[in-house]
Amino acid sequence: MVSVLIVGALPYDSGKTTFALNLIREAIEEGFDVGVSKPVGGFNGWYQYEFLKKSIEFGLLIGEDAYKLHNAAKSIDRIELESPVTVLLLPPDPERVGWRVSSYMGISFQNQVVIVRISGLHRTIHYYIPENLNKLTKPLRGEVGKLISVLNPKPLSVGKLDDILSESRKIADEVLRYLEHYHDLMVIESYANYAAPTFGSLDVDVVVVVAPSKAVIFDGEQYKRAVSLYFNLKSPWIVTTEDVLPLLRPRKIVEFGPEGPKNSLEKVLQVVDASSSL
């Protein structure tokens, strides 16, 4: 089994999912049984309203990236296991901050989370954040109300959110280990520009760091050692790729256009082969 972690060089719009989808399609064409994982992810119900509606349809909080990975892999795995920790964010009412753009843009992640799903091997739990729900405009509260009526989530305070998310990463790693047993190639996608979504997702053969039109491929063990330099201070989901990249030398560099990379599978496997021969 070959495992690949895909992370972003930028906080957003790096192209992680574009790279992952091309890698998955190439691998399937070559006959690989591909597994996918978005261990920790989220989506904004304002900008990605389609997936708020899909979550109502599925009776399960589902993010856009996980949905795309699942379909590209033609997966028969349960989508909630492929994306065990998923959050729904929504922007609060701008009138509450006096229409001040700087204050509005600076609203923290914790104060935008409205619903959280945590799925382990044996059960799924949804939570909702009443304090954040009450900060929404009336139309958005109505949309979330429809989802809440389907999911029947448990209430959770903002103050407990970080603890719940921190504990959930252990569950995400347990699920990831389970999925890896059933596939030839495991494609794991991180979020934003953080070095890894969980501790377990660092145990991979290859790491691909993606920026618009360019990706650099690293040996997984070397990448993990570089990230581990920060473990005494931070967890890998707080360390950014900007911290790690200066410590590493890429094994391969891939340039690509808007349609995504070509022959990415070949380059990934070349790095795996080179690492195994050392």
Side-chain angles (χ1 to χ4, degrees):
M1 195 274 295
V2 174
S3 53
V4 181
L5 172 64
I6 300 176
V7 300
L10 307 179
Y12 51 87
D13 294 337
S14 287
K16 296 187 300 296
T17 304
T18 297
F19 191 97
L21 294 177
N22 278 271
L23 177 62
I24 290 165
R25 291 180 187 123
E26 289 181 10
I28 288 175
E29 289 175 3
E30 292 296 321
F32 283 81
D33 181 327
V34 181
V36 296
S37 177
K38 180 89 174 180
V40 179
F43 68 103
N44 188 300
W46 175 253
Y47 298 105
Q48 297 162 297
Y49 176 55
E50 175 188 354
F51 287 88
L52 195 157
K53 292 192 293 183
K54 278 194 184 299
S55 296
I56 295 173
E57 176 188 339
F58 278 71
L60 189 76
L61 196 65
I62 295 174
E64 181 176 6
D65 290 349
Y67 185 80
K68 288 180 176 179
L69 294 173
H70 177 84
N71 286 341
K74 302 176 182 178
S75 177
I76 60 172
D77 293 326
R78 289 156 46 198
I79 194 168
E80 68 268 29
L81 296 184
E82 295 170 332
S83 53
V85 182
T86 301
V87 301
L88 167 65
L89 300 97
L90 279 166
D93 184 348
E95 192 171 0
R96 287 177 171 267
V97 293
W99 297 97
R100 293 189 299 274
V101 174
S102 58
S103 298
Y104 189 73
M105 298 302 292
I107 293 171
S108 69
F109 166 84
Q110 288 81 355
N111 288 310
Q112 295 182 64
V113 175
V114 178
I115 297 179
V116 178
R117 174 177 57 77
I118 301 173
S119 295
L121 293 174
H122 304 295
R123 67 170 182 166
T124 288
I125 302 176
H126 288 91
Y127 298 95
Y128 79 103
I129 319 295
E131 299 143 87
N132 292 345
L133 178 62
N134 291 333
K135 295 174 185 175
L136 303 179
T137 61
K138 187 176 179 180
L140 290 184
R141 284 201 306 274
E143 293 293 337
V144 177
K146 297 174 190 176
L147 184 55
I148 286 175
S149 68
V150 171
L151 301 180
N152 193 28
K154 298 180 179 181
L156 180 71
S157 69
V158 172
K160 295 287 186 180
L161 179 60
D162 282 345
D163 290 339
I164 287 287
L165 291 178
S166 180
E167 286 299 311
S168 70
R169 294 174 199 272
K170 299 175 185 176
I171 296 172
D173 276 338
E174 180 183 3
V175 172
L176 178 59
R177 295 286 85 85
Y178 169 82
L179 292 176
E180 286 177 337
H181 289 296
Y182 296 96
H183 302 285
D184 304 321
L185 175 68
M186 195 75 199
V187 178
I188 307 164
E189 184 181 326
S190 188
Y191 63 95
N193 63 331
Y194 294 109
T198 64
F199 282 110
S201 59
L202 283 170
D203 295 323
V204 293
D205 299 295
V206 173
V207 177
V208 183
V209 182
V210 184
S213 82
K214 179 168 278 192
V216 285
I217 305 176
F218 299 98
D219 171 74
E221 183 59 35
Q222 291 182 0
Y223 183 87
K224 181 178 179 179
R225 284 201 297 268
V227 175
S228 297
L229 294 175
Y230 291 87
F231 276 1
N232 290 332
L233 301 174
K234 301 176 181 178
S235 300
W237 51 89
I238 300 175
V239 179
T240 67
T241 51
E242 183 179 0
D243 297 323
V244 177
L245 289 180
L247 307 176
L248 293 164
R249 179 175 295 177
R251 295 291 182 87
K252 293 284 181 182
I253 298 176
V254 182
E255 293 188 345
F256 52 92
E259 292 185 354
K262 307 296 183 189
N263 301 319
S264 54
L265 176 65
E266 178 185 351
K267 292 180 172 60
V268 164
L269 294 179
Q270 286 173 352
V271 173
V272 173
D273 291 341
S275 300
S276 62
S277 65
L278 293 177

